[in-house]
Amino acid sequence: MPCEGPKGKTTLRPAVLDLSIGGVAAAVAADAPRLEIGSRTMCAIEFPGMGRIESVVQVRSESQRPLPDGQQVRRYGFEFLNLNAKSVALIQRFILEQQRARKKAA
């Protein structure tokens, strides 16, 4: 599930780690352009086979950590700002489908 967000003339394509109605946690390579806490940017998230949302997000947190393979990544916590009802419904539907899939796999 890609999330794209412009940073100046660069488009970041972080990996989505966690998603909720309130926001998204995402990781980018440690050498990617840095986002400042409190800054805002546009973010688009594609839900395969379901649709796409676009929202302004605000950077709420940042940390750097290694992945299991040793690669360093920067993890950001983003808050969605002013999500419309259609986007909220799409996120809820995606989360419910993920939960159902996990129950079937268990």
Side-chain angles (χ1 to χ4, degrees):
M1 172 175 50
C3 172
E4 298 179 3
K7 171 62 176 162
K9 295 181 181 180
T10 304
T11 297
L12 300 177
R13 289 184 173 81
V16 174
L17 304 173
D18 193 17
L19 176 71
S20 73
I21 298 301
V24 61
V28 297
D31 60 355
R34 191 170 189 164
L35 300 171
E36 297 298 323
I37 302 291
S39 65
R40 295 177 181 196
T41 189
M42 179 59 73
C43 178
I45 301 176
E46 185 72 37
F47 298 91
M50 299 177 74
R52 174 184 174 101
I53 66 166
E54 292 186 8
S55 175
V56 174
V57 293
Q58 184 170 23
V59 180
R60 290 298 187 174
S61 64
E62 173 200 359
S63 62
Q64 192 164 325
R65 59 183 59 179
L67 293 177
D69 66 4
Q71 177 187 4
Q72 288 290 319
V73 295
R74 191 172 294 123
R75 182 188 187 281
Y76 288 103
F78 298 99
E79 177 185 3
F80 291 123
L81 302 178
N82 302 318
L83 271 184
N84 62 37
K86 184 178 177 182
S87 294
V88 168
L90 181 57
I91 292 170
Q92 287 174 328
R93 192 174 81 189
F94 177 80
I95 291 169
L96 286 172
E97 286 192 15
Q98 293 299 306
Q99 290 172 339
R100 282 189 202 122
R102 285 189 185 131
K103 283 183 181 180
K104 283 184 181 181

